[in-house]
Protein backbone atom coordinates (compact mmCIF):
# COMPACT_ATOMS: atom_id res chain seq x y z
CA UNK A 1 0.00 0.00 0.00
CA UNK A 2 1.36 3.40 -0.90
CA UNK A 3 1.85 6.18 1.63
CA UNK A 4 -0.38 9.24 1.47
CA UNK A 5 1.13 11.68 -1.02
CA UNK A 6 1.00 14.72 1.26
CA UNK A 7 2.63 13.32 4.35
CA UNK A 8 6.18 13.28 3.04
CA UNK A 9 8.59 15.99 4.18
CA UNK A 10 9.54 17.00 0.64
CA UNK A 11 7.64 20.31 0.55
CA UNK A 12 9.34 21.63 3.69
CA UNK A 13 10.48 25.20 3.09
CA UNK A 14 10.20 27.11 6.35
CA UNK A 15 13.69 27.30 7.84
CA UNK A 16 12.55 27.48 11.47
CA UNK A 17 9.85 24.81 11.67
CA UNK A 18 10.54 22.57 8.68
CA UNK A 19 6.94 22.91 7.51
CA UNK A 20 5.80 23.94 4.07
CA UNK A 21 5.27 27.57 3.09
CA UNK A 22 2.31 29.54 1.77
CA UNK A 23 3.46 28.86 -1.80
CA UNK A 24 3.46 25.14 -1.01
CA UNK A 25 -0.13 25.40 0.21
CA UNK A 26 -1.27 27.29 -2.89
CA UNK A 27 0.27 24.66 -5.15
CA UNK A 28 -1.21 21.77 -3.16
CA UNK A 29 -4.68 23.32 -3.10
CA UNK A 30 -4.59 23.81 -6.87
CA UNK A 31 -3.46 20.19 -7.32
CA UNK A 32 -6.24 18.82 -5.14
CA UNK A 33 -8.89 20.98 -6.76
CA UNK A 34 -7.85 19.73 -10.19
CA UNK A 35 -8.10 16.14 -9.01
CA UNK A 36 -11.42 16.73 -7.24
CA UNK A 37 -12.40 15.63 -3.77
CA UNK A 38 -13.26 17.20 -0.46
CA UNK A 39 -10.88 19.91 0.79
CA UNK A 40 -10.90 21.26 4.34
CA UNK A 41 -8.64 23.94 5.77
CA UNK A 42 -7.96 25.62 9.07
CA UNK A 43 -5.69 28.52 9.92
CA UNK A 44 -4.34 28.84 13.47
CA UNK A 45 -3.03 31.98 15.14
CA UNK A 46 -2.11 32.95 18.70
CA UNK A 47 -3.42 35.97 20.55
CA UNK A 48 -0.75 38.32 21.91
CA UNK A 49 2.14 36.18 20.74
CA UNK A 50 4.30 39.32 20.58
CA UNK A 51 3.86 39.66 24.35
CA UNK A 52 5.34 36.17 24.79
CA UNK A 53 8.37 37.24 22.76
CA UNK A 54 8.80 40.34 24.94
CA UNK A 55 8.42 38.37 28.16
CA UNK A 56 10.63 35.39 27.34
CA UNK A 57 12.75 36.55 24.38
CA UNK A 58 12.65 35.73 20.69
CA UNK A 59 14.67 32.53 21.16
CA UNK A 60 11.95 31.16 23.44
CA UNK A 61 9.31 32.36 20.99
CA UNK A 62 11.06 30.53 18.16
CA UNK A 63 11.29 27.38 20.30
CA UNK A 64 7.55 27.62 20.93
CA UNK A 65 6.84 27.90 17.21
CA UNK A 66 8.93 24.80 16.56
CA UNK A 67 6.94 22.94 19.21
CA UNK A 68 3.67 24.17 17.70
CA UNK A 69 4.77 22.81 14.32
CA UNK A 70 5.61 19.44 15.85
CA UNK A 71 2.27 19.23 17.65
CA UNK A 72 0.45 20.21 14.46
CA UNK A 73 2.12 17.47 12.42
CA UNK A 74 1.67 14.94 15.19
CA UNK A 75 -2.03 15.77 15.38
CA UNK A 76 -2.52 15.59 11.61
CA UNK A 77 -0.71 12.26 11.32
CA UNK A 78 -2.83 10.76 14.09
CA UNK A 79 -6.23 12.19 13.20
CA UNK A 80 -6.36 12.59 9.40
CA UNK A 81 -6.54 9.44 7.30
CA UNK A 82 -6.40 11.12 3.90
CA UNK A 83 -3.86 13.46 2.37
CA UNK A 84 -2.84 16.53 4.38
CA UNK A 85 -0.30 19.32 4.46
CA UNK A 86 0.92 21.46 7.36
CA UNK A 87 2.28 24.94 6.62
CA UNK A 88 3.71 27.90 8.49
CA UNK A 89 1.88 30.86 7.00
CA UNK A 90 4.29 33.51 8.23
CA UNK A 91 4.93 34.75 11.78
CA UNK A 92 2.93 32.73 14.29
CA UNK A 93 0.20 31.51 11.91
CA UNK A 94 -0.08 27.87 10.85
CA UNK A 95 -2.23 26.29 8.16
CA UNK A 96 -3.52 22.73 7.94
CA UNK A 97 -5.26 21.52 4.80
CA UNK A 98 -6.73 18.07 4.25
CA UNK A 99 -8.11 16.23 1.24
CA UNK A 100 -10.57 13.67 2.60
CA UNK A 101 -14.34 13.33 3.08
CA UNK A 102 -15.31 15.02 6.32
CA UNK A 103 -18.48 16.59 7.67
CA UNK A 104 -18.54 20.19 8.83
CA UNK A 105 -19.08 19.07 12.41
CA UNK A 106 -16.25 16.53 12.33
CA UNK A 107 -13.84 19.18 11.02
CA UNK A 108 -14.89 21.52 13.82
CA UNK A 109 -14.39 18.78 16.40
CA UNK A 110 -10.92 18.13 14.98
CA UNK A 111 -10.11 21.84 15.14
CA UNK A 112 -11.15 21.93 18.78
CA UNK A 113 -8.87 18.99 19.55
CA UNK A 114 -5.97 20.69 17.79
CA UNK A 115 -6.45 23.94 19.71
CA UNK A 116 -6.50 22.00 22.98
CA UNK A 117 -3.19 20.36 22.02
CA UNK A 118 -1.63 23.69 21.06
CA UNK A 119 -2.80 25.34 24.29
CA UNK A 120 -0.80 22.93 26.48
CA UNK A 121 2.14 24.68 28.20
CA UNK A 122 5.40 24.78 26.25
CA UNK A 123 8.56 24.50 28.33
CA UNK A 124 11.60 26.43 27.06
CA UNK A 125 14.96 27.31 28.59
CA UNK A 126 13.62 30.81 29.33
CA UNK A 127 10.41 29.67 30.98
CA UNK A 128 7.01 28.10 30.31
CA UNK A 129 4.92 29.67 27.55
CA UNK A 130 1.15 29.39 27.58
CA UNK A 131 -0.32 30.17 24.20
CA UNK A 132 -3.88 31.19 23.37
CA UNK A 133 -4.74 29.68 19.96
CA UNK A 134 -7.59 30.68 17.67
CA UNK A 135 -8.63 29.05 14.39
CA UNK A 136 -10.51 29.89 11.21
CA UNK A 137 -12.14 27.00 9.35
CA UNK A 138 -13.27 26.51 5.77
CA UNK A 139 -14.62 23.82 3.47
CA UNK A 140 -13.37 24.64 -0.03
CA UNK A 141 -15.15 23.90 -3.29
CA UNK A 142 -13.72 23.20 -6.73
CA UNK A 143 -14.73 26.73 -7.74
CA UNK A 144 -12.66 28.40 -5.00
CA UNK A 145 -9.43 30.02 -6.09
CA UNK A 146 -6.54 28.82 -3.84
CA UNK A 147 -5.46 32.38 -3.07
CA UNK A 148 -9.00 33.37 -2.11
CA UNK A 149 -9.22 30.36 0.21
CA UNK A 150 -6.19 31.57 2.17
CA UNK A 151 -7.35 35.18 2.10
CA UNK A 152 -10.78 34.28 3.49
CA UNK A 153 -9.18 32.20 6.22
CA UNK A 154 -6.87 35.08 7.10
CA UNK A 155 -9.69 37.61 7.35
CA UNK A 156 -11.77 35.25 9.47
CA UNK A 157 -8.84 34.54 11.79
CA UNK A 158 -8.28 38.26 12.35
CA UNK A 159 -11.91 38.58 13.42
CA UNK A 160 -11.61 35.59 15.79
CA UNK A 161 -8.38 36.96 17.26
CA UNK A 162 -10.11 40.24 18.11
CA UNK A 163 -12.83 38.47 20.09
CA UNK A 164 -11.47 37.18 23.39
CA UNK A 165 -14.18 34.57 23.92
CA UNK A 166 -14.26 33.06 20.43
CA UNK A 167 -11.83 30.24 19.67
CA UNK A 168 -13.23 28.96 16.34
CA UNK A 169 -14.83 30.80 13.42
CA UNK A 170 -16.02 29.60 10.02
CA UNK A 171 -14.96 31.57 6.97
CA UNK A 172 -18.43 31.21 5.44
CA UNK A 173 -19.81 33.46 8.14
CA UNK A 174 -22.14 30.87 9.68
CA UNK A 175 -22.34 30.72 13.45
CA UNK A 176 -20.00 28.25 15.09
CA UNK A 177 -22.24 25.47 16.29
CA UNK A 178 -22.46 21.71 16.33
CA UNK A 179 -25.58 19.89 15.25
CA UNK A 180 -25.12 17.52 18.18
CA UNK A 181 -24.71 18.57 21.80
CA UNK A 182 -21.92 17.23 23.98
CA UNK A 183 -24.48 15.21 25.92
CA UNK A 184 -25.82 13.67 22.69
CA UNK A 185 -22.30 12.76 21.54
CA UNK A 186 -21.67 11.06 24.87
CA UNK A 187 -24.94 9.11 24.54
CA UNK A 188 -24.06 8.21 20.95
CA UNK A 189 -20.71 6.83 22.07
CA UNK A 190 -22.26 4.52 24.62
CA UNK A 191 -24.51 3.08 21.91
CA UNK A 192 -21.70 3.03 19.33
CA UNK A 193 -19.96 0.18 21.14
CA UNK A 194 -22.99 -2.05 20.58
CA UNK A 195 -23.70 -0.81 17.06
CA UNK A 196 -20.23 -1.67 15.77
CA UNK A 197 -19.41 1.95 14.90
CA UNK A 198 -16.01 1.84 16.62
CA UNK A 199 -13.41 0.59 14.17
CA UNK A 200 -9.82 -0.44 14.80
CA UNK A 201 -7.24 0.33 12.14
CA UNK A 202 -3.64 -0.86 12.19
CA UNK A 203 -0.47 1.19 11.61
CA UNK A 204 2.21 -1.23 10.38
CA UNK A 205 5.60 -1.43 12.10
CA UNK A 206 8.82 -2.53 10.42
CA UNK A 207 12.36 -3.59 11.21
CA UNK A 208 14.75 -0.72 10.54
CA UNK A 209 17.48 -2.91 9.13
CA UNK A 210 15.60 -4.68 6.33
CA UNK A 211 12.07 -3.16 6.16
CA UNK A 212 10.58 -6.47 7.32
CA UNK A 213 7.01 -6.19 8.63
CA UNK A 214 7.08 -6.91 12.38
CA UNK A 215 3.58 -5.98 13.56
CA UNK A 216 1.18 -3.09 13.95
CA UNK A 217 -0.21 -0.57 16.42
CA UNK A 218 -3.98 -0.60 16.93
CA UNK A 219 -5.69 2.79 16.51
CA UNK A 220 -9.35 3.63 17.06
CA UNK A 221 -11.77 5.41 14.72
CA UNK A 222 -15.45 6.20 15.22
CA UNK A 223 -17.69 5.93 12.16
CA UNK A 224 -20.38 8.26 13.47
CA UNK A 225 -23.65 7.95 11.49
CA UNK A 226 -24.03 11.76 11.22
CA UNK A 227 -20.55 13.21 11.65
CA UNK A 228 -18.58 10.68 9.64
CA UNK A 229 -15.18 9.42 10.79
CA UNK A 230 -13.80 10.79 14.06
CA UNK A 231 -10.21 10.16 15.06
CA UNK A 232 -8.90 8.74 18.31
CA UNK A 233 -8.36 12.17 19.87
CA UNK A 234 -11.98 13.27 19.55
CA UNK A 235 -13.20 9.77 20.41
CA UNK A 236 -11.35 9.54 23.72
CA UNK A 237 -12.15 13.14 24.65
CA UNK A 238 -15.84 12.34 24.33
CA UNK A 239 -15.33 9.06 26.21
CA UNK A 240 -13.58 10.90 29.04
CA UNK A 241 -16.49 13.33 29.40
CA UNK A 242 -18.87 10.37 29.49
CA UNK A 243 -16.65 8.51 32.00
CA UNK A 244 -16.52 5.69 29.47
CA UNK A 245 -12.79 5.44 28.75
CA UNK A 246 -12.22 2.06 30.39
CA UNK A 247 -15.13 0.48 28.51
CA UNK A 248 -13.97 1.99 25.23
CA UNK A 249 -10.39 0.88 25.79
CA UNK A 250 -11.53 -2.67 26.56
CA UNK A 251 -13.71 -2.74 23.45
CA UNK A 252 -10.79 -1.63 21.28
CA UNK A 253 -8.49 -4.20 22.87
CA UNK A 254 -10.98 -6.99 22.17
CA UNK A 255 -11.38 -6.01 18.51
CA UNK A 256 -7.63 -5.68 18.03
CA UNK A 257 -6.80 -9.00 19.69
CA UNK A 258 -9.48 -10.82 17.69
CA UNK A 259 -8.05 -9.43 14.46
CA UNK A 260 -4.41 -10.05 15.40
CA UNK A 261 -5.15 -13.68 16.26
CA UNK A 262 -5.47 -14.25 12.48
CA UNK A 263 -2.08 -12.73 11.66
CA UNK A 264 1.10 -14.72 10.98
CA UNK A 265 2.57 -15.81 14.30
CA UNK A 266 5.73 -13.70 13.97
CA UNK A 267 3.80 -10.40 13.97
CA UNK A 268 3.26 -8.38 17.14
CA UNK A 269 0.29 -6.25 18.21
CA UNK A 270 0.74 -2.95 20.08
CA UNK A 271 -2.08 -1.58 22.25
CA UNK A 272 -2.22 1.83 23.91
CA UNK A 273 -2.89 1.91 27.65
CA UNK A 274 -5.02 4.74 29.09
CA UNK A 275 -4.91 6.26 32.59
CA UNK A 276 -8.34 4.74 33.21
CA UNK A 277 -6.94 1.29 32.41
CA UNK A 278 -4.17 1.46 34.99
CA UNK A 279 -6.44 3.08 37.56
CA UNK A 280 -8.71 0.05 37.48
CA UNK A 281 -8.15 -2.40 40.31
CA UNK A 282 -8.11 -5.52 38.10
CA UNK A 283 -6.78 -4.28 34.77
CA UNK A 284 -4.07 -6.95 34.58
CA UNK A 285 -6.57 -9.73 35.34
CA UNK A 286 -9.12 -8.39 32.86
CA UNK A 287 -6.53 -8.13 30.10
CA UNK A 288 -5.21 -11.62 30.85
CA UNK A 289 -8.76 -12.99 30.60
CA UNK A 290 -9.30 -11.16 27.31
CA UNK A 291 -6.06 -12.54 25.89
CA UNK A 292 -7.16 -16.05 26.85
CA UNK A 293 -10.64 -15.57 25.34
CA UNK A 294 -9.24 -14.34 22.02
CA UNK A 295 -6.55 -17.06 22.00
CA UNK A 296 -3.79 -14.53 21.47
CA UNK A 297 -0.27 -15.38 22.61
CA UNK A 298 0.80 -12.95 25.39
CA UNK A 299 4.39 -12.82 24.10
CA UNK A 300 3.10 -11.24 20.85
CA UNK A 301 1.54 -8.28 22.68
CA UNK A 302 3.16 -4.92 23.47
CA UNK A 303 1.46 -2.37 25.72
CA UNK A 304 2.35 1.26 25.02
CA UNK A 305 2.21 3.73 27.91
CA UNK A 306 2.79 7.47 27.76
CA UNK A 307 4.00 9.89 30.40
CA UNK A 308 0.42 11.14 30.79
CA UNK A 309 -0.69 7.65 31.78
CA UNK A 310 1.98 7.53 34.50
CA UNK A 311 1.42 10.94 36.08
CA UNK A 312 -1.25 9.77 38.51
CA UNK A 313 0.58 7.07 40.47
CA UNK A 314 3.75 5.74 38.87
CA UNK A 315 4.34 3.22 41.65
CA UNK A 316 0.90 1.65 41.15
CA UNK A 317 1.44 1.70 37.37
CA UNK A 318 4.78 -0.06 37.79
CA UNK A 319 3.15 -2.77 39.91
CA UNK A 320 0.37 -3.41 37.37
CA UNK A 321 2.74 -3.38 34.40
CA UNK A 322 5.11 -5.66 36.29
CA UNK A 323 2.39 -8.27 36.69
CA UNK A 324 1.60 -8.02 32.97
CA UNK A 325 5.27 -8.31 32.04
CA UNK A 326 5.48 -11.46 34.16
CA UNK A 327 2.91 -13.01 31.81
CA UNK A 328 5.19 -12.41 28.83
CA UNK A 329 3.65 -9.15 27.65
CA UNK A 330 6.17 -6.50 26.64
CA UNK A 331 6.00 -2.84 27.69
CA UNK A 332 6.93 0.24 25.64
CA UNK A 333 7.32 3.81 26.92
CA UNK A 334 5.61 5.81 24.16
CA UNK A 335 6.28 9.36 22.91
CA UNK A 336 9.69 9.42 24.60
CA UNK A 337 11.24 12.84 24.14
CA UNK A 338 7.92 14.69 24.06
CA UNK A 339 7.09 15.49 27.69
CA UNK A 340 9.49 15.99 30.57
CA UNK A 341 11.23 12.64 29.99
CA UNK A 342 11.20 11.67 33.64
CA UNK A 343 14.09 9.23 33.90
CA UNK A 344 12.58 7.76 37.06
CA UNK A 345 10.19 5.91 34.76
CA UNK A 346 13.18 4.06 33.34
CA UNK A 347 14.13 2.95 36.83
CA UNK A 348 10.68 1.85 37.98
CA UNK A 349 8.93 0.41 34.93
CA UNK A 350 9.48 -3.09 33.47
CA UNK A 351 10.28 -1.72 30.01
CA UNK A 352 11.30 -3.52 26.84
CA UNK A 353 11.08 -0.64 24.34
CA UNK A 354 11.49 3.11 24.12
CA UNK A 355 9.27 4.53 21.41
CA UNK A 356 10.65 7.86 20.29
CA UNK A 357 8.29 10.76 19.71
CA UNK A 358 8.24 11.78 16.04
CA UNK A 359 9.90 15.06 17.05
CA UNK A 360 13.08 13.10 17.84
CA UNK A 361 13.39 12.06 14.18
CA UNK A 362 12.06 15.21 12.50
CA UNK A 363 14.90 17.42 11.35
CA UNK A 364 17.67 15.34 12.92
CA UNK A 365 19.58 15.11 9.65
CA UNK A 366 19.99 18.89 9.57
CA UNK A 367 20.86 19.52 13.23
CA UNK A 368 24.05 18.38 14.96
CA UNK A 369 22.49 19.08 18.37
CA UNK A 370 19.35 17.04 17.61
CA UNK A 371 21.50 14.18 16.34
CA UNK A 372 23.59 14.28 19.51
CA UNK A 373 20.42 14.05 21.63
CA UNK A 374 19.16 11.11 19.58
CA UNK A 375 22.48 9.30 19.94
CA UNK A 376 22.50 9.88 23.70
CA UNK A 377 18.99 8.44 24.07
CA UNK A 378 19.81 5.37 21.98
CA UNK A 379 23.06 4.83 23.92
CA UNK A 380 21.11 5.01 27.19
CA UNK A 381 18.51 2.56 25.86
CA UNK A 382 21.25 0.18 24.78
CA UNK A 383 22.80 0.33 28.26
CA UNK A 384 19.39 -0.53 29.73
CA UNK A 385 18.94 -3.34 27.17
CA UNK A 386 15.91 -1.61 25.64
CA UNK A 387 15.00 -1.67 21.96
CA UNK A 388 14.21 1.66 20.31
CA UNK A 389 11.27 2.29 17.96
CA UNK A 390 11.30 5.38 15.75
CA UNK A 391 7.85 6.89 15.17
CA UNK A 392 6.75 9.19 12.36
CA UNK A 393 9.26 7.98 9.77
CA UNK A 394 8.13 9.51 6.51
CA UNK A 395 11.19 9.34 4.25
CA UNK A 396 13.86 6.84 3.30
CA UNK A 397 16.51 9.22 4.64
CA UNK A 398 14.84 9.14 8.07
CA UNK A 399 14.68 5.34 8.01
CA UNK A 400 18.34 5.04 7.10
CA UNK A 401 19.30 7.48 9.83
CA UNK A 402 17.23 5.62 12.43
CA UNK A 403 18.73 2.29 11.36
CA UNK A 404 22.25 3.69 11.31
CA UNK A 405 21.94 5.12 14.81
CA UNK A 406 20.67 1.85 16.27
CA UNK A 407 16.85 1.97 16.23
CA UNK A 408 15.47 -1.54 15.87
CA UNK A 409 11.99 -0.72 14.52
CA UNK A 410 10.06 2.11 12.94
CA UNK A 411 6.55 3.07 11.99
CA UNK A 412 5.22 5.88 9.84
CA UNK A 413 3.89 6.67 6.41
CA UNK A 414 7.10 5.76 4.56
CA UNK A 415 5.78 2.33 3.62
CA UNK A 416 2.15 2.15 4.72
CA UNK A 417 -0.66 4.15 6.20
CA UNK A 418 -3.17 2.81 8.78
CA UNK A 419 -5.50 0.19 7.30
CA UNK A 420 -8.52 -1.75 8.44
CA UNK A 421 -8.31 -5.28 9.82
CA UNK A 422 -9.00 -7.07 6.53
CA UNK A 423 -6.55 -4.93 4.57
CA UNK A 424 -3.80 -5.39 7.15
CA UNK A 425 -4.24 -9.16 7.23
CA UNK A 426 -3.94 -9.25 3.43
CA UNK A 427 -0.91 -6.95 3.64
CA UNK A 428 0.68 -9.18 6.29
CA UNK A 429 0.14 -12.36 4.30
CA UNK A 430 1.73 -10.81 1.21
CA UNK A 431 4.85 -9.53 3.02
Amino acid sequence: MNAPPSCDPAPQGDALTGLGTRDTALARLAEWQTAGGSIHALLVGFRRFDAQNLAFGTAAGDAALVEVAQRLRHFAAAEIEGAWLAVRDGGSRFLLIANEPCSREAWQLAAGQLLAALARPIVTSAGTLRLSPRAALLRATDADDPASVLDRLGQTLETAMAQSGRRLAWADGEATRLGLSAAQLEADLIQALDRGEIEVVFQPQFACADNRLTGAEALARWNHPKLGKLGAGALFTIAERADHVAQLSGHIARLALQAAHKWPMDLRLSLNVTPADLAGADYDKQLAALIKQTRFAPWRLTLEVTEQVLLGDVTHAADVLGRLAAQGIQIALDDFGAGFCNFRYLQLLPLHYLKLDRAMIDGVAGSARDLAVLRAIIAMARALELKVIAEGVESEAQRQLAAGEGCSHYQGFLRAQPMDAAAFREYALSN
Side-chain angles (χ1 to χ4, degrees):
M1 180 173 290
N2 295 326
S6 63
C7 296
D8 60 25
Q12 295 176 358
D14 180 64
L16 177 64
T17 65
L19 298 182
T21 63
R22 186 181 181 90
D23 288 341
T24 311
L26 290 170
R28 186 59 56 84
L29 282 169
E31 174 188 327
W32 286 347
Q33 286 177 317
T34 300
S38 180
I39 300 175
H40 296 76
L42 64 87
L43 183 65
V44 176
F46 300 93
R47 297 187 79 230
R48 302 186 61 78
F49 187 80
D50 290 344
Q52 302 277 359
N53 275 335
L54 287 173
F56 297 97
T58 56
D62 286 349
L65 294 178
V66 171
E67 176 64 20
V68 166
Q70 292 172 347
R71 292 183 186 183
L72 177 59
R73 295 191 75 215
H74 191 286
F75 173 85
E79 297 297 321
I80 300 176
E81 292 187 8
W84 59 268
L85 177 71
V87 163
R88 183 186 178 199
D89 190 30
S92 60
R93 301 202 315 183
F94 292 83
L95 174 70
L96 177 64
I97 55 176
N99 188 13
E100 70 167 356
C102 179
S103 70
R104 177 187 177 93
E105 292 167 313
W107 188 240
Q108 181 167 318
L109 282 171
Q113 293 299 311
L114 175 59
L115 293 193
L118 298 181
R120 294 200 309 267
I122 298 176
V123 179
T124 72
S125 59
T128 300
L129 280 70
R130 292 172 173 82
L131 304 182
S132 180
R134 299 290 185 270
L137 295 80
L138 183 145
R139 297 179 71 188
T141 67
D142 293 342
D144 285 326
D145 176 77
S148 71
V149 168
L150 301 191
D151 288 345
R152 288 162 58 198
L153 283 170
Q155 294 170 12
T156 305
L157 181 61
E158 289 181 9
T159 301
M161 297 274 273
Q163 301 175 359
S164 60
R166 193 174 188 186
R167 297 173 64 243
L168 295 170
W170 281 90
D172 58 15
E174 292 187 19
T176 303
R177 62 182 183 275
L178 288 176
L180 298 175
S181 67
Q184 184 60 57
L185 281 172
E186 294 165 17
D188 286 350
L189 175 59
I190 295 173
Q191 294 178 321
L193 300 179
D194 296 325
R195 293 174 178 171
E197 295 171 5
I198 306 300
E199 176 189 21
V200 176
V201 296
F202 297 92
Q203 173 65 61
Q205 298 174 328
F206 304 92
C208 272
D210 57 9
N211 277 322
R212 174 176 49 85
L213 180 67
T214 59
E217 177 185 359
L219 305 170
R221 298 288 185 267
W222 183 5
N223 297 310
H224 193 282
K226 293 183 179 179
L227 303 184
K229 286 190 177 182
L230 300 179
L235 174 56
F236 274 93
T237 296
I238 296 167
E240 187 172 354
R241 290 201 305 254
D243 195 22
H244 219 61
V245 173
Q247 295 91 328
L248 173 62
S249 182
H251 181 79
I252 292 168
R254 179 179 296 278
L255 292 178
L257 288 166
Q258 288 173 340
H261 173 66
K262 302 174 184 177
W263 298 352
M265 284 293 289
D266 60 334
L267 298 186
R268 302 189 58 82
L269 169 68
S270 291
L271 288 176
N272 291 288
V273 179
T274 70
D277 290 329
L278 289 184
D282 298 319
Y283 174 64
D284 54 317
K285 295 178 182 177
Q286 292 172 3
L287 182 60
L290 184 57
I291 290 171
K292 184 176 181 180
Q293 290 170 12
T294 55
R295 296 178 296 162
F296 191 78
W299 60 266
R300 295 176 59 199
L301 179 63
T302 299
L303 298 179
E304 298 188 5
V305 295
T306 64
E307 186 176 38
Q308 180 185 8
V309 172
L310 302 169
L311 289 177
D313 186 344
V314 66
T315 302
H316 172 71
D319 289 342
V320 175
L321 294 175
R323 293 195 292 271
L324 291 166
Q327 301 174 33
I329 297 170
Q330 300 204 325
I331 312 297
L333 184 55
D334 196 10
D335 292 340
F336 192 81
F340 293 100
C341 297
N342 191 329
F343 290 99
R344 185 164 177 256
Y345 298 152
L346 303 180
Q347 296 175 302
L348 294 178
L349 302 179
L351 298 175
H352 303 87
Y353 298 94
L354 284 186
K355 192 172 184 183
L356 300 179
D357 184 78
R358 65 184 60 244
M360 303 302 298
I361 295 296
D362 260 354
V364 166
S367 171
R369 180 181 291 270
D370 289 352
L371 182 57
V373 171
L374 176 64
R375 286 175 172 169
I377 290 174
I378 294 176
M380 176 190 64
R382 187 179 296 116
L384 295 172
E385 299 183 346
L386 304 178
K387 295 180 180 179
V388 179
I389 304 171
E391 189 172 9
V393 174
E394 298 172 350
S395 70
E396 178 59 22
Q398 289 178 331
R399 185 201 68 81
Q400 291 181 4
L401 184 145
E405 296 301 329
C407 294
S408 58
H409 300 79
Y410 76 91
Q411 72 180 64
F413 291 147
L414 171 61
R415 288 199 59 199
Q417 64 187 41
M419 56 190 81
D420 64 29
F424 180 80
R425 184 169 184 268
E426 182 179 349
Y427 184 83
L429 293 173
S430 63
N431 280 269

